[in-house]
Short mmCIF file of all heavy atoms in Angstrom, two decimals:
data_model
loop_
_atom_site.label_atom_id
_atom_site.label_comp_id
_atom_site.label_asym_id
_atom_site.label_seq_id
_atom_site.Cartn_x
_atom_site.Cartn_y
_atom_site.Cartn_z
N VAL A 57 14.48 50.03 -63.12
CA VAL A 57 15.86 50.42 -62.84
C VAL A 57 16.82 49.89 -63.93
O VAL A 57 17.73 50.59 -64.35
CB VAL A 57 16.27 49.98 -61.44
CG1 VAL A 57 17.74 50.22 -61.17
CG2 VAL A 57 15.45 50.71 -60.40
N ALA A 58 16.61 48.67 -64.33
CA ALA A 58 17.46 48.11 -65.41
C ALA A 58 17.37 48.97 -66.69
O ALA A 58 18.36 49.26 -67.33
CB ALA A 58 17.07 46.63 -65.64
N ASP A 59 16.13 49.33 -67.02
CA ASP A 59 15.92 50.16 -68.18
C ASP A 59 16.62 51.54 -68.04
O ASP A 59 17.19 52.03 -69.00
CB ASP A 59 14.45 50.36 -68.49
CG ASP A 59 14.18 51.11 -69.78
OD1 ASP A 59 14.66 50.67 -70.81
OD2 ASP A 59 13.59 52.23 -69.66
N LEU A 60 16.51 52.09 -66.83
CA LEU A 60 17.15 53.40 -66.62
C LEU A 60 18.71 53.30 -66.70
O LEU A 60 19.39 54.15 -67.31
CB LEU A 60 16.81 53.92 -65.22
CG LEU A 60 15.41 54.55 -65.10
CD1 LEU A 60 15.09 54.87 -63.65
CD2 LEU A 60 15.27 55.80 -65.93
N LEU A 61 19.26 52.17 -66.16
CA LEU A 61 20.67 51.97 -66.23
C LEU A 61 21.15 51.77 -67.66
O LEU A 61 22.19 52.29 -68.08
CB LEU A 61 21.15 50.78 -65.39
CG LEU A 61 21.10 50.94 -63.87
CD1 LEU A 61 21.38 49.66 -63.16
CD2 LEU A 61 22.08 52.01 -63.44
N MET A 62 20.35 51.08 -68.42
CA MET A 62 20.72 50.82 -69.82
C MET A 62 20.59 52.09 -70.67
O MET A 62 21.42 52.37 -71.56
CB MET A 62 19.91 49.74 -70.44
CG MET A 62 20.21 48.35 -69.86
SD MET A 62 19.35 46.95 -70.58
CE MET A 62 17.63 47.40 -70.36
N THR A 63 19.54 52.93 -70.41
CA THR A 63 19.36 54.10 -71.28
C THR A 63 20.12 55.34 -70.80
O THR A 63 20.78 55.98 -71.59
CB THR A 63 17.85 54.47 -71.40
OG1 THR A 63 17.35 54.68 -70.08
CG2 THR A 63 17.08 53.37 -72.10
N GLN A 64 20.11 55.59 -69.48
CA GLN A 64 20.75 56.77 -68.96
C GLN A 64 22.25 56.58 -68.80
O GLN A 64 23.01 57.48 -69.08
CB GLN A 64 20.11 57.20 -67.65
CG GLN A 64 18.62 57.52 -67.75
CD GLN A 64 18.32 58.65 -68.70
OE1 GLN A 64 19.06 59.68 -68.67
NE2 GLN A 64 17.30 58.57 -69.45
N ALA A 65 22.64 55.47 -68.21
CA ALA A 65 24.11 55.24 -67.93
C ALA A 65 24.80 54.47 -69.01
O ALA A 65 25.98 54.24 -68.93
CB ALA A 65 24.21 54.51 -66.57
N ARG A 66 24.00 54.03 -70.00
CA ARG A 66 24.51 53.28 -71.16
C ARG A 66 25.20 52.00 -70.71
O ARG A 66 26.27 51.64 -71.25
CB ARG A 66 25.41 54.12 -72.03
CG ARG A 66 24.78 55.44 -72.39
CD ARG A 66 25.04 55.69 -73.88
NE ARG A 66 24.56 57.05 -74.29
CZ ARG A 66 23.32 57.32 -74.64
NH1 ARG A 66 22.42 56.43 -74.61
NH2 ARG A 66 22.99 58.54 -75.03
N TRP A 67 24.65 51.29 -69.71
CA TRP A 67 25.22 50.04 -69.29
C TRP A 67 24.67 48.91 -70.18
O TRP A 67 23.54 49.00 -70.63
CB TRP A 67 24.75 49.69 -67.84
CG TRP A 67 25.45 50.46 -66.79
CD1 TRP A 67 26.18 51.62 -66.86
CD2 TRP A 67 25.46 50.16 -65.35
NE1 TRP A 67 26.63 52.04 -65.74
CE2 TRP A 67 26.20 51.12 -64.72
CE3 TRP A 67 24.88 49.14 -64.65
CZ2 TRP A 67 26.38 51.12 -63.36
CZ3 TRP A 67 25.11 49.13 -63.30
CH2 TRP A 67 25.87 50.13 -62.61
N PRO A 68 25.47 47.89 -70.41
CA PRO A 68 24.90 46.72 -71.10
C PRO A 68 23.90 46.04 -70.15
O PRO A 68 23.96 46.20 -68.94
CB PRO A 68 26.12 45.84 -71.34
CG PRO A 68 27.23 46.36 -70.50
CD PRO A 68 26.88 47.78 -70.16
N TRP A 69 22.97 45.31 -70.73
CA TRP A 69 21.91 44.73 -69.95
C TRP A 69 22.45 43.73 -68.90
O TRP A 69 21.91 43.57 -67.81
CB TRP A 69 20.82 44.11 -70.78
CG TRP A 69 21.23 42.84 -71.44
CD1 TRP A 69 21.80 42.66 -72.70
CD2 TRP A 69 21.17 41.49 -70.91
NE1 TRP A 69 22.08 41.35 -72.99
CE2 TRP A 69 21.68 40.57 -71.89
CE3 TRP A 69 20.66 40.98 -69.70
CZ2 TRP A 69 21.72 39.21 -71.65
CZ3 TRP A 69 20.73 39.59 -69.50
CH2 TRP A 69 21.24 38.76 -70.48
N GLN A 70 23.60 43.09 -69.19
CA GLN A 70 24.19 42.13 -68.22
C GLN A 70 24.70 42.88 -66.95
O GLN A 70 24.50 42.40 -65.88
CB GLN A 70 25.33 41.36 -68.84
CG GLN A 70 24.95 40.45 -70.00
CD GLN A 70 25.12 41.16 -71.36
OE1 GLN A 70 25.16 42.35 -71.43
NE2 GLN A 70 25.16 40.37 -72.40
N ALA A 71 25.25 43.98 -67.16
CA ALA A 71 25.75 44.78 -65.98
C ALA A 71 24.59 45.30 -65.14
O ALA A 71 24.63 45.24 -63.89
CB ALA A 71 26.67 45.89 -66.46
N ALA A 72 23.58 45.80 -65.83
CA ALA A 72 22.42 46.27 -65.06
C ALA A 72 21.71 45.20 -64.35
O ALA A 72 21.38 45.32 -63.16
CB ALA A 72 21.42 46.93 -66.03
N ALA A 73 21.57 44.01 -64.92
CA ALA A 73 20.90 42.91 -64.28
C ALA A 73 21.76 42.39 -63.09
O ALA A 73 21.28 42.05 -62.02
CB ALA A 73 20.63 41.79 -65.22
N GLY A 74 23.09 42.34 -63.25
CA GLY A 74 23.95 41.94 -62.18
C GLY A 74 23.94 42.81 -61.02
O GLY A 74 23.93 42.40 -59.86
N ALA A 75 23.92 44.14 -61.27
CA ALA A 75 23.91 45.12 -60.15
C ALA A 75 22.60 44.99 -59.42
O ALA A 75 22.56 45.00 -58.15
CB ALA A 75 24.08 46.54 -60.70
N LEU A 76 21.49 44.85 -60.11
CA LEU A 76 20.18 44.73 -59.45
C LEU A 76 20.10 43.38 -58.65
O LEU A 76 19.53 43.31 -57.52
CB LEU A 76 19.08 44.78 -60.46
CG LEU A 76 18.87 46.23 -61.03
CD1 LEU A 76 17.87 46.21 -62.13
CD2 LEU A 76 18.46 47.17 -59.92
N ALA A 77 20.67 42.34 -59.21
CA ALA A 77 20.62 41.02 -58.51
C ALA A 77 21.42 41.16 -57.22
O ALA A 77 20.97 40.63 -56.14
CB ALA A 77 21.18 39.93 -59.38
N GLY A 78 22.57 41.80 -57.23
CA GLY A 78 23.36 41.98 -56.01
C GLY A 78 22.59 42.75 -54.95
O GLY A 78 22.60 42.42 -53.78
N PHE A 79 21.94 43.84 -55.36
CA PHE A 79 21.14 44.64 -54.48
C PHE A 79 20.06 43.80 -53.81
O PHE A 79 19.84 43.88 -52.55
CB PHE A 79 20.52 45.81 -55.26
CG PHE A 79 19.59 46.66 -54.38
CD1 PHE A 79 20.04 47.45 -53.41
CD2 PHE A 79 18.20 46.57 -54.59
CE1 PHE A 79 19.20 48.22 -52.61
CE2 PHE A 79 17.30 47.29 -53.86
CZ PHE A 79 17.83 48.13 -52.85
N HIS A 80 19.40 42.99 -54.58
CA HIS A 80 18.28 42.21 -54.01
C HIS A 80 18.80 41.07 -53.16
O HIS A 80 18.14 40.62 -52.21
CB HIS A 80 17.38 41.72 -55.16
CG HIS A 80 16.42 42.79 -55.61
ND1 HIS A 80 16.80 43.64 -56.61
CD2 HIS A 80 15.23 43.21 -55.14
CE1 HIS A 80 15.78 44.51 -56.77
NE2 HIS A 80 14.86 44.25 -55.90
N LEU A 81 19.97 40.57 -53.42
CA LEU A 81 20.52 39.60 -52.53
C LEU A 81 20.85 40.16 -51.16
O LEU A 81 20.67 39.57 -50.11
CB LEU A 81 21.78 38.97 -53.13
CG LEU A 81 21.57 37.97 -54.25
CD1 LEU A 81 22.90 37.52 -54.86
CD2 LEU A 81 20.80 36.77 -53.76
N VAL A 82 21.33 41.44 -51.14
CA VAL A 82 21.55 42.15 -49.88
C VAL A 82 20.23 42.28 -49.09
O VAL A 82 20.19 42.08 -47.92
CB VAL A 82 22.24 43.53 -50.14
CG1 VAL A 82 22.28 44.36 -48.88
CG2 VAL A 82 23.63 43.29 -50.68
N LEU A 83 19.17 42.65 -49.83
CA LEU A 83 17.85 42.74 -49.15
C LEU A 83 17.38 41.41 -48.59
O LEU A 83 16.87 41.38 -47.44
CB LEU A 83 16.79 43.26 -50.18
CG LEU A 83 16.75 44.73 -50.46
CD1 LEU A 83 15.64 45.03 -51.44
CD2 LEU A 83 16.57 45.54 -49.18
N ALA A 84 17.62 40.37 -49.34
CA ALA A 84 17.26 39.02 -48.82
C ALA A 84 18.05 38.70 -47.55
O ALA A 84 17.47 38.10 -46.59
CB ALA A 84 17.51 37.96 -49.91
N VAL A 85 19.32 39.01 -47.49
CA VAL A 85 20.14 38.76 -46.31
C VAL A 85 19.61 39.57 -45.10
O VAL A 85 19.49 39.08 -43.99
CB VAL A 85 21.61 39.11 -46.56
CG1 VAL A 85 22.44 39.11 -45.25
CG2 VAL A 85 22.22 38.04 -47.52
N ILE A 86 19.18 40.82 -45.37
CA ILE A 86 18.60 41.66 -44.30
C ILE A 86 17.37 41.02 -43.73
O ILE A 86 17.14 40.91 -42.51
CB ILE A 86 18.35 43.05 -44.76
CG1 ILE A 86 19.69 43.82 -44.99
CG2 ILE A 86 17.47 43.81 -43.80
CD1 ILE A 86 19.53 45.12 -45.75
N PHE A 87 16.49 40.50 -44.60
CA PHE A 87 15.28 39.82 -44.16
C PHE A 87 15.56 38.57 -43.38
O PHE A 87 14.93 38.27 -42.40
CB PHE A 87 14.34 39.51 -45.34
CG PHE A 87 13.56 40.67 -45.85
CD1 PHE A 87 13.63 41.11 -47.15
CD2 PHE A 87 12.68 41.44 -44.96
CE1 PHE A 87 12.85 42.16 -47.60
CE2 PHE A 87 12.01 42.50 -45.41
CZ PHE A 87 12.06 42.91 -46.76
N LEU A 88 16.53 37.78 -43.86
CA LEU A 88 16.91 36.56 -43.11
C LEU A 88 17.49 36.90 -41.75
O LEU A 88 17.18 36.19 -40.79
CB LEU A 88 17.92 35.78 -43.99
CG LEU A 88 17.35 35.07 -45.21
CD1 LEU A 88 18.43 34.45 -46.00
CD2 LEU A 88 16.31 34.05 -44.77
N LEU A 89 18.26 37.97 -41.65
CA LEU A 89 18.77 38.32 -40.36
C LEU A 89 17.71 38.77 -39.39
O LEU A 89 17.73 38.48 -38.20
CB LEU A 89 19.91 39.40 -40.50
CG LEU A 89 21.19 38.97 -41.12
CD1 LEU A 89 22.09 40.19 -41.37
CD2 LEU A 89 21.90 37.90 -40.30
N ALA A 90 16.75 39.54 -39.94
CA ALA A 90 15.62 39.93 -39.06
C ALA A 90 14.84 38.68 -38.61
O ALA A 90 14.45 38.66 -37.44
CB ALA A 90 14.71 40.84 -39.90
N THR A 91 14.69 37.71 -39.49
CA THR A 91 13.98 36.53 -39.04
C THR A 91 14.75 35.78 -37.97
O THR A 91 14.17 35.31 -36.98
CB THR A 91 13.74 35.59 -40.32
OG1 THR A 91 12.97 36.37 -41.23
CG2 THR A 91 12.98 34.33 -39.90
#
Side-chain angles (χ1 to χ4, degrees):
V57 173
D59 184 60
L60 284 173
L61 288 173
M62 290 185 302
T63 57
Q64 300 298 320
R66 306 224 188 276
W67 285 17
W69 72 269
Q70 295 93 341
L76 290 173
F79 173 73
H80 282 89
L81 285 175
V82 169
L83 282 180
V85 168
I86 290 170
F87 281 124
L88 287 174
L89 291 175
T91 302

